[in-house]
Amino acid sequence: MAGRGTGPDFVEALARGLDVLTCFDAERRSMSLSDVATAASLARPTARRLLLTLEELGYVRSAEGSFSLTPKVLELGMAYVSSLGLWEIARPHMEALVGRTGESTSMSQLDGSDIVYVARVAVPKLIALRVDVGTRFPAVQTSQGKVLLAALSPAQLATTLAEPTRSGLPTPLRRSPAQLQDELSEVRARGWALADEELAPGVRSVAVPVRDGAGTVRAAMNVTVHAAETTTERLLGEHLPQLLRAAGDVSAEWALWQSRPHGEVRTRPGTSAAG
């Protein structure tokens, strides 16, 4: 549920509308009015008004007494990514990386103690966990999360790890705080992180940072493989160098994009704004 504010300008109706949107997930793709009211902790009349409003706006559809989200909801998340200029820049590099490695690649950012996927180019693989843009995972169990956590100051790290995950997944403690600190120090020093079947059996990945124009780590990019098909040695020896190059290119282009006036049309090298 959306956080409840205490300021004089806090709009309760907007918060309740967000509660309705976020109560849908992979396990609850279609819900009745009663289901939504229960999941969002709302009275049925309130839930009904919000659902009908969201339906009129195109974010929800109804059929045979059940409600479900529409693809228009994706616009809310993509507006954030597009505002950064990141997806437009990253997409061709991610597609090229998939072409060279034959493996899926994703980009994530930190939100509390979770990572949230903001971009993904996938290949058909039998991986234990389904991943889409907007998917959350506990940061400490993922290669991208380790990269992002390693970029935090000690105070920021402590505050971040104190937040409970909103991924819906358990976060088993496989390492002590001291061990985690040591691992993150190593990640920070070498510039990449490995997660070897920590999130789910068969899922192995390596991740590297993506930096903005000021050199600050703002995202992480990974390559994910099936552990039964790709050894750690091959992942690090063959795919990691390709990943480092792709992330470096994204960071460099993003820095250039950020240095330009906001109204300027971005063109790729070798093209012109006219065509």
Side-chain angles (χ1 to χ4, degrees), residues 112-252:
S113 61
D114 296 330
I115 61 165
V116 178
Y117 283 71
V118 297
R120 180 165 171 81
V121 179
V123 297
K125 291 278 184 177
L126 294 176
I127 297 293
L129 292 174
R130 176 175 175 172
V131 177
D132 300 298
V133 172
T135 295
R136 287 178 172 271
F137 289 134
V140 294
Q141 294 174 250
T142 68
S143 59
Q144 294 182 92
K146 293 176 187 179
V147 165
L148 295 169
L149 292 173
L152 301 178
S153 68
Q156 290 173 325
L157 179 62
T159 300
T160 297
L161 295 179
E163 295 190 32
T165 178
R166 288 185 282 156
S167 67
L169 297 176
T171 53
L173 184 61
R174 298 186 178 183
R175 58 181 74 80
S176 68
Q179 289 173 323
L180 178 60
Q181 288 282 4
D182 289 344
E183 182 176 9
L184 294 181
S185 295
E186 185 176 354
V187 169
R188 192 180 306 112
R190 70 190 181 191
W192 55 268
L194 176 70
D196 193 0
E197 300 188 86
E198 296 176 43
L199 186 62
V203 179
R204 176 177 290 153
S205 67
V206 64
V208 301
V210 174
R211 302 177 185 273
D212 63 13
T216 303
V217 176
R218 294 284 301 278
M221 185 188 298
N222 79 348
V223 170
T224 302
V225 300
H226 197 294
E229 297 178 353
T230 306
T231 64
T232 302
E233 289 74 21
R234 184 184 177 198
L235 177 62
L236 299 181
E238 297 182 19
H239 298 336
L240 175 57
Q242 301 276 6
L243 175 62
L244 285 166
R245 187 177 76 182
D249 289 342
V250 171
S251 297

Side-chain angles (χ1 to χ4, degrees), residues 74-86 109-110 118 218:
L74 291 173
E75 295 177 2
L76 301 175
M78 290 310 297
Y80 167 70
V81 179
S82 298
S83 71
L84 297 175
L86 187 52
Q109 293 186 296
L110 201 60
V118 297
R218 294 284 301 278

Side-chain angles (χ1 to χ4, degrees), residues 77-122:
M78 290 310 297
Y80 167 70
V81 179
S82 298
S83 71
L84 297 175
L86 187 52
W87 171 234
E88 178 189 359
I89 292 167
R91 176 169 52 187
H93 294 289
M94 294 175 71
E95 290 173 346
L97 178 62
V98 169
R100 292 192 297 267
T101 64
E103 303 289 354
S104 298
T105 181
S106 303
M107 186 177 293
S108 295
Q109 293 186 296
L110 201 60
D111 184 18
S113 61
D114 296 330
I115 61 165
V116 178
Y117 283 71
V118 297
R120 180 165 171 81
V121 179

Side-chain angles (χ1 to χ4, degrees), residues 57-74:
L57 293 172
Y59 293 109
V60 169
R61 67 166 62 95
S62 62
E64 299 180 354
S66 293
F67 295 87
S68 58
L69 300 181
T70 72
K72 188 176 181 180
V73 173
L74 291 173

